[in-house]
Coordinates of all heavy atoms in Angstrom, one line a residue:
V1 N 32.9 -34.8 -36.0 CA 33.6 -33.8 -36.9 C 34.2 -34.6 -38.0 O 34.8 -35.6 -37.9 CB 34.6 -33.1 -36.1 CG1 35.4 -32.1 -37.0 CG2 34.0 -32.3 -34.9
N2 N 34.0 -34.0 -39.2 CA 34.4 -34.7 -40.4 C 35.9 -34.5 -40.7 O 36.4 -33.4 -40.8 CB 33.7 -34.1 -41.6 CG 33.8 -35.0 -42.9 OD1 34.6 -35.9 -42.9 ND2 33.1 -34.6 -43.9
T3 N 36.7 -35.6 -40.7 CA 38.1 -35.5 -40.9 C 38.5 -35.1 -42.3 O 39.5 -34.4 -42.5 CB 38.8 -36.9 -40.6 OG1 38.3 -37.3 -39.4 CG2 40.3 -36.8 -40.6
V4 N 37.7 -35.4 -43.3 CA 38.0 -35.0 -44.7 C 37.9 -33.5 -44.8 O 38.7 -32.9 -45.5 CB 36.9 -35.7 -45.7 CG1 37.1 -35.2 -47.1 CG2 37.1 -37.2 -45.6
S5 N 37.0 -32.9 -44.1 CA 36.9 -31.4 -44.2 C 38.2 -30.8 -43.6 O 38.6 -29.8 -44.1 CB 35.7 -31.0 -43.4 OG 35.6 -29.6 -43.3
H6 N 38.7 -31.4 -42.5 CA 39.9 -30.8 -41.9 C 41.1 -31.0 -42.9 O 41.9 -30.1 -43.0 CB 40.2 -31.5 -40.6 CG 39.3 -31.1 -39.5 ND1 38.7 -32.1 -38.7 CD2 38.9 -29.9 -39.1 CE1 37.9 -31.5 -37.9 NE2 38.0 -30.2 -38.0
V7 N 41.2 -32.1 -43.6 CA 42.2 -32.3 -44.5 C 42.1 -31.3 -45.7 O 43.1 -30.7 -46.2 CB 42.2 -33.8 -45.0 CG1 43.2 -34.0 -46.2 CG2 42.6 -34.7 -43.9
L8 N 40.9 -31.1 -46.2 CA 40.7 -30.1 -47.3 C 41.1 -28.7 -46.9 O 41.8 -28.0 -47.6 CB 39.3 -30.2 -47.7 CG 38.8 -31.4 -48.6 CD1 37.3 -31.3 -48.9 CD2 39.6 -31.4 -49.9
V9 N 40.7 -28.3 -45.7 CA 41.1 -27.0 -45.2 C 42.6 -26.9 -45.0 O 43.2 -25.8 -45.3 CB 40.3 -26.7 -43.9 CG1 40.8 -25.4 -43.2 CG2 38.8 -26.5 -44.1
F10 N 43.2 -27.9 -44.6 CA 44.7 -27.9 -44.5 C 45.3 -27.7 -45.8 O 46.2 -26.9 -46.0 CB 45.2 -29.2 -43.8 CG 46.7 -29.3 -43.9 CD1 47.5 -28.6 -43.0 CD2 47.3 -30.1 -44.9 CE1 48.9 -28.6 -43.1 CE2 48.7 -30.2 -44.9 CZ 49.5 -29.4 -44.1
F11 N 44.9 -28.4 -46.9 CA 45.4 -28.3 -48.2 C 45.1 -26.9 -48.8 O 46.0 -26.4 -49.5 CB 45.0 -29.4 -49.1 CG 45.8 -30.7 -48.9 CD1 45.1 -31.8 -48.5 CD2 47.1 -30.7 -49.2 CE1 45.8 -33.0 -48.3 CE2 47.8 -31.9 -49.0 CZ 47.2 -33.0 -48.5
I12 N 44.0 -26.4 -48.5 CA 43.6 -25.0 -49.0 C 44.6 -24.0 -48.4 O 45.2 -23.2 -49.1 CB 42.2 -24.7 -48.6 CG1 41.2 -25.5 -49.4 CG2 41.9 -23.2 -48.9 CD1 39.8 -25.4 -48.9
A13 N 44.8 -24.1 -47.1 CA 45.7 -23.2 -46.5 C 47.2 -23.4 -46.9 O 47.9 -22.4 -47.1 CB 45.6 -23.3 -44.9
A14 N 47.6 -24.6 -47.1 CA 49.0 -24.9 -47.5 C 49.2 -24.4 -48.9 O 50.3 -23.8 -49.1 CB 49.2 -26.4 -47.4
V15 N 48.3 -24.7 -49.8 CA 48.5 -24.2 -51.2 C 48.5 -22.7 -51.3 O 49.4 -22.1 -52.0 CB 47.5 -24.8 -52.1 CG1 47.5 -24.2 -53.5 CG2 47.7 -26.3 -52.3
A16 N 47.6 -22.1 -50.5 CA 47.6 -20.6 -50.6 C 48.8 -20.0 -49.9 O 49.4 -19.0 -50.5 CB 46.4 -20.1 -49.8
S17 N 49.3 -20.6 -48.9 CA 50.5 -20.0 -48.2 C 51.8 -20.2 -49.1 O 52.6 -19.3 -49.2 CB 50.7 -20.6 -46.9 OG 50.9 -22.0 -46.9
I18 N 51.9 -21.4 -49.8 CA 53.0 -21.6 -50.7 C 52.9 -20.6 -51.9 O 53.9 -20.1 -52.3 CB 53.0 -23.1 -51.1 CG1 53.4 -24.0 -50.0 CG2 53.9 -23.3 -52.3 CD1 53.2 -25.4 -50.2
S19 N 51.7 -20.4 -52.3 CA 51.5 -19.5 -53.5 C 51.9 -18.1 -53.1 O 52.6 -17.4 -53.9 CB 50.1 -19.5 -53.9 OG 49.8 -18.5 -54.9
Y20 N 51.5 -17.6 -52.0 CA 51.8 -16.2 -51.6 C 53.3 -16.1 -51.2 O 53.9 -15.1 -51.4 CB 50.9 -15.8 -50.4 CG 49.6 -15.3 -50.9 CD1 48.5 -16.2 -50.8 CD2 49.5 -14.1 -51.5 CE1 47.3 -15.8 -51.3 CE2 48.2 -13.7 -52.0 CZ 47.1 -14.5 -51.9 OH 45.9 -14.1 -52.4
Y21 N 53.9 -17.2 -50.7 CA 55.4 -17.1 -50.5 C 56.1 -17.1 -51.8 O 57.1 -16.4 -51.9 CB 55.8 -18.4 -49.7 CG 57.3 -18.4 -49.5 CD1 57.9 -17.6 -48.6 CD2 58.1 -19.3 -50.3 CE1 59.3 -17.6 -48.4 CE2 59.5 -19.3 -50.1 CZ 60.1 -18.4 -49.2 OH 61.4 -18.4 -49.1
A22 N 55.6 -17.8 -52.8 CA 56.3 -17.8 -54.1 C 56.2 -16.4 -54.7 O 57.1 -15.9 -55.3 CB 55.6 -18.8 -55.0
M23 N 55.0 -15.7 -54.5 CA 54.9 -14.4 -55.0 C 55.9 -13.4 -54.3 O 56.5 -12.5 -54.9 CB 53.5 -13.9 -55.0 CG 52.6 -14.6 -56.0 SD 50.9 -13.9 -56.0 CE 50.2 -14.6 -54.5
W24 N 56.0 -13.6 -53.0 CA 56.8 -12.7 -52.2 C 58.3 -12.9 -52.6 O 59.1 -12.0 -52.6 CB 56.6 -13.0 -50.7 CG 57.5 -12.3 -49.8 CD1 57.4 -10.9 -49.5 CD2 58.7 -12.8 -49.2 NE1 58.5 -10.6 -48.6 CE2 59.3 -11.7 -48.5 CE3 59.3 -14.0 -49.2 CZ2 60.5 -11.9 -47.8 CZ3 60.5 -14.2 -48.5 CH2 61.1 -13.1 -47.8
A25 N 58.7 -14.2 -52.8 CA 60.1 -14.5 -53.1 C 60.4 -14.2 -54.6 O 61.6 -14.3 -54.9 CB 60.3 -16.0 -52.8
G26 N 59.4 -13.9 -55.4 CA 59.7 -13.6 -56.8 C 59.7 -14.8 -57.7 O 60.0 -14.8 -58.8
L27 N 59.3 -16.0 -57.1 CA 59.2 -17.2 -57.9 C 58.0 -17.3 -58.8 O 58.0 -17.9 -59.9 CB 59.4 -18.4 -57.0 CG 60.6 -18.5 -56.2 CD1 60.5 -19.7 -55.2 CD2 61.8 -18.6 -57.1
G28 N 56.9 -16.8 -58.3 CA 55.6 -16.9 -59.0 C 55.3 -15.6 -59.7 O 54.1 -15.2 -59.8
V29 N 56.3 -14.9 -60.2 CA 56.1 -13.6 -60.8 C 56.7 -13.6 -62.2 O 57.8 -14.1 -62.5 CB 56.8 -12.5 -60.0 CG1 56.6 -11.2 -60.6 CG2 56.2 -12.5 -58.6
E30 N 56.0 -13.0 -63.2 CA 56.5 -12.9 -64.5 C 56.5 -11.4 -64.8 O 55.6 -10.6 -64.7 CB 55.5 -13.5 -65.5 CG 55.9 -13.4 -66.9 CD 57.0 -14.4 -67.3 OE1 57.1 -15.4 -66.7 OE2 57.7 -14.1 -68.3
Y31 N 57.7 -10.9 -65.2 CA 57.9 -9.5 -65.6 C 57.8 -9.3 -67.1 O 58.6 -9.8 -67.8 CB 59.2 -9.0 -65.1 CG 59.4 -9.1 -63.6 CD1 60.1 -10.1 -63.0 CD2 58.8 -8.1 -62.8 CE1 60.2 -10.2 -61.6 CE2 58.9 -8.2 -61.4 CZ 59.6 -9.2 -60.8 OH 59.7 -9.3 -59.5
K32 N 56.7 -8.6 -67.5 CA 56.5 -8.5 -69.0 C 57.0 -7.0 -69.3 O 56.3 -6.1 -68.9 CB 55.0 -8.7 -69.3 CG 54.7 -8.6 -70.7 CD 53.3 -8.9 -71.0 CE 53.0 -8.8 -72.5 NZ 51.5 -8.9 -72.7
T33 N 58.1 -6.9 -70.0 CA 58.6 -5.6 -70.3 C 58.6 -5.3 -71.8 O 59.3 -4.4 -72.3 CB 60.0 -5.5 -69.8 OG1 60.8 -6.6 -70.4 CG2 60.1 -5.6 -68.3
T34 N 57.8 -6.0 -72.6 CA 57.8 -5.8 -74.1 C 56.9 -4.6 -74.4 O 57.1 -4.0 -75.5 CB 57.3 -7.0 -74.8 OG1 56.0 -7.4 -74.3 CG2 58.2 -8.2 -74.6
D35 N 56.0 -4.2 -73.6 CA 55.1 -3.1 -73.8 C 55.9 -1.8 -73.4 O 56.9 -1.8 -72.8 CB 53.8 -3.2 -73.1 CG 53.0 -4.4 -73.5 OD1 53.2 -4.8 -74.7 OD2 52.2 -4.9 -72.8
T36 N 55.2 -0.7 -73.6 CA 55.8 0.6 -73.2 C 55.7 0.7 -71.7 O 56.5 1.3 -71.1 CB 55.1 1.8 -73.9 OG1 53.7 1.7 -73.6 CG2 55.3 1.8 -75.4
T37 N 54.6 0.1 -71.1 CA 54.5 0.1 -69.6 C 54.8 -1.3 -69.1 O 54.1 -2.2 -69.5 CB 53.1 0.6 -69.2 OG1 52.2 -0.3 -69.8 CG2 52.9 2.0 -69.6
P38 N 55.8 -1.4 -68.3 CA 56.1 -2.8 -67.8 C 55.0 -3.3 -66.9 O 54.4 -2.6 -66.1 CB 57.4 -2.6 -67.0 CG 57.5 -1.2 -66.8 CD 56.8 -0.4 -67.8
R39 N 54.8 -4.6 -66.9 CA 53.7 -5.2 -66.1 C 54.4 -6.3 -65.3 O 55.3 -7.0 -65.7 CB 52.6 -5.8 -67.0 CG 51.9 -4.9 -67.8 CD 50.8 -5.6 -68.5 NE 50.1 -4.7 -69.4 CZ 48.9 -5.0 -70.0 NH1 48.4 -6.2 -69.9 NH2 48.3 -4.1 -70.7
V40 N 53.7 -6.5 -64.1 CA 54.1 -7.6 -63.3 C 52.9 -8.6 -63.2 O 51.8 -8.2 -62.8 CB 54.5 -7.1 -61.9 CG1 54.9 -8.3 -61.0 CG2 55.6 -6.1 -61.9
I41 N 53.1 -9.8 -63.6 CA 52.0 -10.8 -63.6 C 52.3 -11.8 -62.5 O 53.4 -12.5 -62.6 CB 51.9 -11.5 -65.0 CG1 51.7 -10.5 -66.1 CG2 50.9 -12.6 -65.0 CD1 51.8 -11.0 -67.5
F42 N 51.4 -11.9 -61.6 CA 51.6 -12.8 -60.5 C 50.9 -14.1 -60.9 O 49.7 -14.4 -60.5 CB 51.0 -12.3 -59.2 CG 51.8 -11.1 -58.7 CD1 51.3 -9.8 -58.9 CD2 53.0 -11.3 -58.0 CE1 52.0 -8.7 -58.5 CE2 53.7 -10.2 -57.6 CZ 53.2 -8.9 -57.8
W43 N 51.5 -15.0 -61.6 CA 50.8 -16.2 -62.1 C 50.6 -17.2 -61.0 O 49.7 -18.1 -61.1 CB 51.6 -16.8 -63.3 CG 53.0 -17.2 -62.9 CD1 54.1 -16.5 -63.1 CD2 53.4 -18.5 -62.3 NE1 55.2 -17.2 -62.7 CE2 54.8 -18.4 -62.2 CE3 52.8 -19.6 -61.9 CZ2 55.6 -19.4 -61.7 CZ3 53.5 -20.6 -61.4 CH2 54.9 -20.5 -61.3
A44 N 51.3 -17.1 -59.9 CA 51.1 -18.0 -58.8 C 49.7 -17.8 -58.1 O 49.1 -18.7 -57.6 CB 52.2 -17.8 -57.7
R45 N 49.2 -16.5 -58.2 CA 47.9 -16.2 -57.7 C 46.8 -17.0 -58.5 O 45.9 -17.5 -57.9 CB 47.7 -14.7 -57.7 CG 46.3 -14.4 -57.3 CD 46.1 -12.9 -57.2 NE 47.0 -12.4 -56.2 CZ 47.5 -11.1 -56.2 NH1 47.2 -10.3 -57.1 NH2 48.3 -10.7 -55.2
Y46 N 47.0 -17.0 -59.8 CA 46.0 -17.7 -60.6 C 46.1 -19.2 -60.5 O 45.1 -19.9 -60.5 CB 46.2 -17.3 -62.1 CG 46.0 -15.8 -62.2 CD1 47.1 -15.0 -62.6 CD2 44.8 -15.2 -62.0 CE1 46.9 -13.6 -62.7 CE2 44.6 -13.8 -62.2 CZ 45.7 -13.0 -62.5 OH 45.6 -11.7 -62.6
L47 N 47.3 -19.7 -60.3 CA 47.4 -21.1 -60.0 C 46.8 -21.5 -58.6 O 46.2 -22.5 -58.5 CB 48.9 -21.5 -60.0 CG 49.2 -23.0 -59.8 CD1 48.8 -23.8 -61.0 CD2 50.7 -23.1 -59.6
D48 N 46.9 -20.6 -57.7 CA 46.3 -20.7 -56.4 C 44.8 -20.8 -56.5 O 44.1 -21.6 -55.9 CB 46.7 -19.6 -55.5 CG 46.0 -19.6 -54.1 OD1 45.8 -20.7 -53.6 OD2 45.6 -18.5 -53.7
W49 N 44.2 -19.9 -57.3 CA 42.8 -19.9 -57.5 C 42.3 -21.2 -58.2 O 41.2 -21.7 -57.8 CB 42.4 -18.7 -58.4 CG 42.5 -17.4 -57.7 CD1 42.6 -17.1 -56.4 CD2 42.4 -16.1 -58.3 NE1 42.7 -15.8 -56.1 CE2 42.6 -15.1 -57.3 CE3 42.3 -15.7 -59.6 CZ2 42.6 -13.8 -57.6 CZ3 42.3 -14.3 -59.9 CH2 42.5 -13.4 -58.9
V50 N 43.0 -21.7 -59.2 CA 42.6 -22.9 -59.9 C 42.6 -24.1 -58.9 O 41.8 -25.0 -59.0 CB 43.5 -23.1 -61.1 CG1 43.4 -24.5 -61.7 CG2 43.3 -22.1 -62.1
V51 N 43.6 -24.1 -58.0 CA 43.7 -25.3 -57.1 C 42.8 -25.2 -55.9 O 42.1 -26.1 -55.6 CB 45.2 -25.5 -56.6 CG1 45.3 -26.5 -55.6 CG2 46.1 -25.8 -57.8
T52 N 42.8 -24.0 -55.3 CA 42.0 -23.9 -54.0 C 40.5 -23.6 -54.2 O 39.7 -24.0 -53.4 CB 42.5 -22.7 -53.1 OG1 42.5 -21.5 -53.9 CG2 44.0 -23.0 -52.7
G53 N 40.1 -23.1 -55.4 CA 38.7 -22.8 -55.6 C 37.9 -24.1 -55.6 O 36.9 -24.2 -54.9
P54 N 38.2 -25.1 -56.4 CA 37.5 -26.4 -56.3 C 37.6 -27.1 -54.9 O 36.6 -27.7 -54.4 CB 38.2 -27.3 -57.3 CG 38.8 -26.3 -58.3 CD 39.2 -25.2 -57.5
L55 N 38.7 -26.9 -54.2 CA 38.8 -27.5 -52.9 C 37.8 -26.8 -51.9 O 37.2 -27.4 -51.0 CB 40.2 -27.4 -52.3 CG 41.3 -28.3 -53.0 CD1 42.7 -28.0 -52.4 CD2 40.9 -29.7 -52.8
I56 N 37.7 -25.5 -52.0 CA 36.8 -24.7 -51.1 C 35.4 -25.1 -51.4 O 34.6 -25.4 -50.5 CB 37.0 -23.2 -51.3 CG1 38.3 -22.8 -50.8 CG2 35.8 -22.4 -50.7 CD1 38.7 -21.3 -51.1
L57 N 35.0 -25.2 -52.7 CA 33.7 -25.7 -53.1 C 33.4 -27.1 -52.6 O 32.3 -27.4 -52.1 CB 33.4 -25.6 -54.6 CG 33.1 -24.2 -55.1 CD1 33.0 -24.3 -56.6 CD2 31.8 -23.7 -54.5
T58 N 34.4 -28.0 -52.7 CA 34.2 -29.3 -52.2 C 34.0 -29.4 -50.7 O 33.1 -30.1 -50.2 CB 35.4 -30.2 -52.6 OG1 35.6 -30.1 -54.0 CG2 35.2 -31.6 -52.2
D59 N 34.8 -28.6 -50.0 CA 34.6 -28.5 -48.5 C 33.3 -28.0 -48.1 O 32.6 -28.5 -47.2 CB 35.7 -27.7 -48.0 CG 35.8 -27.7 -46.5 OD1 35.5 -28.8 -45.9 OD2 36.1 -26.7 -45.8
L60 N 32.8 -26.9 -48.8 CA 31.5 -26.4 -48.4 C 30.4 -27.4 -48.8 O 29.4 -27.5 -48.0 CB 31.3 -25.1 -49.2 CG 32.1 -23.9 -48.7 CD1 31.9 -22.7 -49.6 CD2 31.8 -23.5 -47.3
A61 N 30.5 -28.1 -49.9 CA 29.5 -29.1 -50.3 C 29.5 -30.2 -49.3 O 28.4 -30.8 -49.0 CB 29.8 -29.6 -51.7
L62 N 30.7 -30.6 -48.8 CA 30.7 -31.7 -47.9 C 30.1 -31.3 -46.5 O 29.5 -32.1 -45.8 CB 32.2 -32.2 -47.7 CG 32.7 -33.1 -48.8 CD1 34.2 -33.4 -48.6 CD2 31.9 -34.3 -49.0
L63 N 30.4 -30.0 -46.1 CA 29.8 -29.5 -44.9 C 28.3 -29.5 -44.9 O 27.6 -29.6 -43.9 CB 30.4 -28.2 -44.5 CG 31.8 -28.2 -44.0 CD1 32.4 -26.8 -43.9 CD2 32.0 -28.9 -42.7
S64 N 27.8 -29.2 -46.1 CA 26.3 -29.1 -46.3 C 25.7 -30.5 -46.6 O 24.5 -30.5 -46.9 CB 25.9 -28.1 -47.4 OG 26.4 -28.6 -48.6
K65 N 26.5 -31.5 -46.6 CA 26.1 -32.9 -46.8 C 25.4 -33.1 -48.2 O 24.4 -33.7 -48.3 CB 25.2 -33.3 -45.7 CG 25.9 -33.4 -44.4 CD 25.0 -33.9 -43.3 CE 25.8 -34.1 -42.1 NZ 25.5 -33.5 -40.9
S66 N 26.0 -32.5 -49.2 CA 25.6 -32.6 -50.6 C 25.9 -34.0 -51.1 O 26.9 -34.6 -50.6 CB 26.2 -31.6 -51.5 OG 25.7 -30.3 -51.1
D67 N 25.2 -34.5 -52.1 CA 25.5 -35.8 -52.7 C 26.6 -35.6 -53.7 O 27.0 -34.5 -54.1 CB 24.3 -36.4 -53.3 CG 23.6 -35.5 -54.3 OD1 23.9 -34.3 -54.3 OD2 22.8 -36.0 -55.1
T68 N 27.2 -36.8 -54.1 CA 28.4 -36.8 -54.9 C 28.1 -36.1 -56.3 O 29.0 -35.4 -56.8 CB 28.9 -38.2 -55.1 OG1 29.1 -38.8 -53.8 CG2 30.2 -38.3 -55.9
P69 N 27.0 -36.4 -57.0 CA 26.8 -35.7 -58.3 C 26.7 -34.2 -58.2 O 27.2 -33.5 -59.0 CB 25.5 -36.3 -58.8 CG 25.3 -37.6 -58.1 CD 26.0 -37.4 -56.8
T70 N 26.2 -33.7 -57.1 CA 26.2 -32.2 -56.9 C 27.6 -31.7 -56.7 O 27.9 -30.6 -57.3 CB 25.3 -31.9 -55.6 OG1 24.0 -32.5 -55.8 CG2 25.2 -30.4 -55.5
I71 N 28.4 -32.4 -55.9 CA 29.8 -31.9 -55.7 C 30.6 -31.9 -57.0 O 31.3 -31.0 -57.3 CB 30.5 -32.8 -54.6 CG1 29.8 -32.6 -53.3 CG2 31.9 -32.5 -54.5 CD1 30.3 -33.6 -52.2
I72 N 30.4 -33.0 -57.8 CA 31.1 -33.1 -59.1 C 30.6 -32.0 -60.0 O 31.5 -31.4 -60.7 CB 30.9 -34.5 -59.7 CG1 31.6 -35.5 -58.8 CG2 31.4 -34.5 -61.1 CD1 31.3 -37.0 -59.2
S73 N 29.3 -31.7 -60.1 CA 28.9 -30.6 -60.9 C 29.4 -29.3 -60.5 O 29.7 -28.4 -61.3 CB 27.4 -30.7 -61.1 OG 26.8 -30.3 -59.8
L74 N 29.4 -29.0 -59.2 CA 30.0 -27.8 -58.7 C 31.4 -27.6 -59.1 O 31.8 -26.5 -59.6 CB 29.9 -27.7 -57.2 CG 28.5 -27.3 -56.6 CD1 28.6 -27.5 -55.0 CD2 28.2 -25.9 -56.9
V75 N 32.2 -28.6 -58.8 CA 33.6 -28.5 -59.1 C 33.9 -28.5 -60.6 O 34.7 -27.7 -61.1 CB 34.4 -29.7 -58.5 CG1 35.9 -29.7 -58.9 CG2 34.3 -29.6 -57.0
G76 N 33.1 -29.2 -61.4 CA 33.3 -29.2 -62.8 C 32.9 -27.9 -63.4 O 33.5 -27.4 -64.4
N77 N 31.9 -27.2 -62.9 CA 31.5 -25.9 -63.4 C 32.5 -24.8 -63.0 O 32.6 -23.8 -63.7 CB 30.1 -25.5 -62.9 CG 29.0 -26.3 -63.7 OD1 29.2 -26.6 -64.8 ND2 27.9 -26.5 -63.0
M78 N 33.2 -25.0 -62.0 CA 34.2 -24.0 -61.6 C 35.4 -24.1 -62.4 O 36.0 -23.1 -62.8 CB 34.6 -24.2 -60.1 CG 35.7 -23.3 -59.7 SD 35.5 -22.6 -58.1 CE 36.8 -21.5 -58.1
V79 N 35.9 -25.3 -62.7 CA 37.1 -25.4 -63.5 C 36.7 -25.2 -65.0 O 37.1 -24.4 -65.7 CB 37.7 -26.8 -63.4 CG1 38.9 -27.0 -64.3 CG2 38.1 -27.1 -61.9

């Protein structure tokens, strides 16, 4: 069993849980009230996507035993 994969999955879960906790606690939320209809922007969700998306792709590529240039191109195209 690949230890790197376990570490990546741990960081994916940790970042996602911290992000959702921040949204729940109101820390990762922006209230935009300049328009006629007020909006709530959950910027922590987008930060979560930027961080965990490449980690998920890296984990899947490592599980499929892809070579390093393929992993770099996958992650580079996502970001």
Side-chain angles (χ1 to χ4, degrees):
V1 178
N2 194 354
T3 308
V4 175
S5 178
H6 289 129
V7 171
L8 284 175
V9 170
F10 171 77
F11 279 116
I12 291 166
V15 168
S17 63
I18 290 169
S19 171
Y20 280 102
Y21 176 75
M23 288 186 284
W24 175 79
L27 300 173
V29 179
E30 178 79 26
Y31 297 101
K32 185 177 178 186
T33 57
T34 57
D35 297 337
T36 56
T37 57
R39 296 184 183 191
V40 179
I41 301 169
F42 294 101
W43 59 267
R45 177 174 295 153
Y46 301 111
L47 183 67
D48 174 41
W49 289 346
V50 167
V51 173
T52 60
L55 289 176
I56 291 169
L57 279 178
T58 303
D59 188 38
L60 290 174
L62 287 174
L63 286 174
S64 66
K65 296 184 172 121
S66 296
D67 55 345
T68 304
T70 304
I71 296 172
I72 291 172
S73 67
L74 279 172
V75 173
N77 284 328
M78 172 138 189
V79 175

